[in-house]
Amino acid sequence: MGHSYDLLRRATGAHSRGVIYSSYMILSMADDFKYMPFRLVDEVDMKNNRDWLSRLLEMIPVRGTLDYRCFLGAPWRIDFPASEVGEIPYHVILGGSAVLEDPEGGPTRKLMVGDILLFPHGSAHALHDGSDAAPAPARQRTTLNVVFHENDGTGDRLDMMCGRFILSAAHDRLIRSYLPRRVILHAPENSAAAAGPGTGAQVVGLVSLMRAESAAENLGGLAMLNALSTALFAVALRLASEITAPPDGLLALAGNPRLVPALTALFNEPARAWTLPELAQRCNMSRATFIRHFQERLGRSASDLLTDIRMTVAAKALKTSNMSTGAVAELAGYQSEAAFQRAFKHQMGITPAQWRRTHACSTELGLGTHNY
């Protein structure tokens, strides 16, 4: 993604020109959606079909929030504790660089301008300037739209946005089960996304507008930042599925255009009694080849994914509607209410009735704060 990445670097490095360009891109984004990469769309039986990511976000609505804009001079360090269930931290490097340190033993990674980092499992992590020096004391300055995290360090400067993608704690199981522990988007030059301007250009526009809105107290700025942050989640996952070597799990599955017809079918018609031969036929594969490639990419079987999609559909219906348990069972693809009851308890740990009592009256998603 050479051209797109260059644009992103220029947009994050040239404030005024970036804002002008990003405004144009946001206005034209609606037209770009018509030209989404073919890998996200099943061209077979398109009637009433949507791409898998749109269906996922319908099942599990996600809301974004931008919490912090960090202006730090080396030496600096920020330790992020594990997030609450239902929260996915993200970071966007606008200027300078940062070293990612993984408390769980993963390798350290250097993040550069334009890089986007997500933690779908809410894992604890730390970011620092790469030195062993004691960090300069930091302070926070609150504005109408965002909190600025600053210090008096005199070394190399970091400019970074930090926020969260928030989903219902009752519905985050599919996300945590099928997305990797962390996603780092470097927008490599040899990315498949470089074949078209859509995704890279949309990342440019979103990041540039978020940078501009977080730097000033504009009218409606907080609403704009939250809306752009929400859009960033979908665009980041789309970009992650397009790169040459997508991360593990659902993104790796979506990154294989031969398997996308089956993925799209499962998300669009979870109540259908899918068979492996039917799914394999949609992918123009033999049954054995389909099973092998699906398992290699996702790490789980098509049956496992279908069951989890069905449970997500059922959990949402139980939480948001007054449908009877029998009607929810039918919606989720179970001919027998007893079979649904058994499957739901096995997957979710409690019965549908207990789930409904626990979650149906839950309040709207909250926007808690974290201390950095």
Side-chain angles (χ1 to χ4, degrees):
M1 183 183 283
H3 297 301
S4 298
Y5 197 38
D6 288 343
L7 285 172
L8 180 54
R9 290 180 181 277
R10 289 200 296 271
T12 53
H15 180 83
S16 59
R17 296 192 327 189
V19 172
I20 294 172
Y21 180 75
S22 65
S23 299
Y24 168 78
M25 290 311 306
I26 293 298
L27 290 173
S28 64
M29 190 177 292
D31 288 335
D32 289 342
F33 284 145
K34 295 185 296 185
Y35 305 103
M36 290 172 64
F38 74 92
R39 66 179 54 213
L40 291 177
V41 181
D42 180 7
E43 296 181 352
V44 180
D45 190 20
M46 287 295 296
K47 184 178 180 181
N48 297 324
N49 272 7
R50 296 185 179 129
D51 64 87
W52 69 270
L53 183 55
S54 294
R55 288 289 294 137
L56 173 66
L57 295 178
E58 285 179 359
M59 296 175 187
I60 308 176
V62 176
R63 182 166 63 179
T65 174
L66 178 63
D67 299 322
Y68 291 88
R69 179 82 178 267
C70 298
F71 290 117
L72 300 170
W76 61 269
R77 179 185 177 94
I78 309 176
D79 290 287
F80 299 88
S83 298
E84 298 291 334
V85 174
E87 294 185 356
I88 300 174
Y90 74 84
H91 310 287
V92 182
I93 307 298
L94 300 175
S97 63
V99 174
L100 169 63
E101 184 179 297
D102 187 347
E104 297 185 23
T108 59
R109 299 287 293 270
K110 187 170 184 179
L111 307 176
M112 306 299 293
V113 174
D115 287 346
I116 301 174
L117 173 64
L118 290 74
F119 287 89
H121 297 194
S123 307
H125 56 285
L127 294 171
H128 56 81
D129 65 289
S131 72
D132 294 326
R139 60 188 177 276
Q140 293 181 356
R141 175 170 55 88
T142 302
T143 67
L144 290 176
N145 301 331
V146 71
V147 175
F148 286 89
H149 192 69
E150 303 167 318
N151 71 359
D152 294 322
T154 58
D156 294 340
R157 305 293 298 176
L158 171 77
D159 184 358
M160 177 175 67
M161 294 188 299
C162 301
R164 290 165 291 144
F165 303 119
I166 304 169
L167 55 153
S168 169
H171 293 156
D172 78 333
R173 186 173 182 274
L174 197 62
I175 294 290
R176 291 185 181 241
S177 296
Y178 290 96
L179 291 183
R181 192 167 58 86
R182 71 183 187 187
V183 176
I184 303 175
L185 298 176
H186 294 290
E189 292 184 358
N190 295 325
S191 168
T199 304
Q202 288 157 12
V203 171
V204 172
L206 285 169
V207 169
S208 297
L209 265 182
M210 290 175 72
R211 174 177 183 167
E213 289 294 332
S214 64
E217 296 188 353
N218 294 322
L219 185 66
L222 181 60
M224 177 74 83
L225 283 171
N226 289 341
L228 293 172
S229 183
T230 299
L232 182 64
F233 181 74
V235 175
L237 292 190
R238 183 192 304 172
L239 179 60
S241 72
E242 294 173 16
I243 60 179
T244 303
D248 298 334
L250 196 57
L251 297 174
L253 187 65
N256 185 331
R258 295 186 64 194
L259 293 170
V260 167
L263 178 63
T264 304
L266 294 176
F267 269 99
N268 273 283
E269 298 184 79
R272 181 169 168 174
W274 290 105
T275 66
L276 288 172
E278 284 179 318
L279 294 172
Q281 185 178 25
R282 283 186 169 241
C283 299
N284 295 317
M285 296 179 182
S286 69
R287 180 179 181 276
T289 301
F290 171 76
I291 292 173
R292 184 177 74 255
H293 283 288
F294 201 100
Q295 183 77 35
E296 287 175 352
R297 287 278 180 161
L298 187 63
R300 301 188 185 194
S301 69
S303 177
D304 290 337
L305 177 59
L306 178 58
T307 298
D308 280 325
I309 293 174
R310 287 176 167 179
M311 292 301 105
T312 301
V313 170
K316 182 178 180 180
L318 290 167
K319 181 177 186 292
T320 61
S321 77
N322 293 321
M323 295 174 63
S324 67
T325 303
V328 173
E330 185 176 354
L331 179 69
Y334 291 86
Q335 300 301 313
S336 163
E337 182 177 337
F340 167 67
Q341 296 258 13
R342 289 192 297 270
F344 193 92
K345 185 172 183 179
H346 176 73
Q347 293 293 113
M348 312 302 287
I350 57 177
T351 67
Q354 291 170 328
W355 177 275
R356 171 167 273 163
R357 285 196 298 271
T358 302
H359 298 289
C361 297
S362 62
T363 57
E364 197 174 48
L365 299 179
L367 300 180
T369 58
H370 292 298
N371 293 322
Y372 284 8

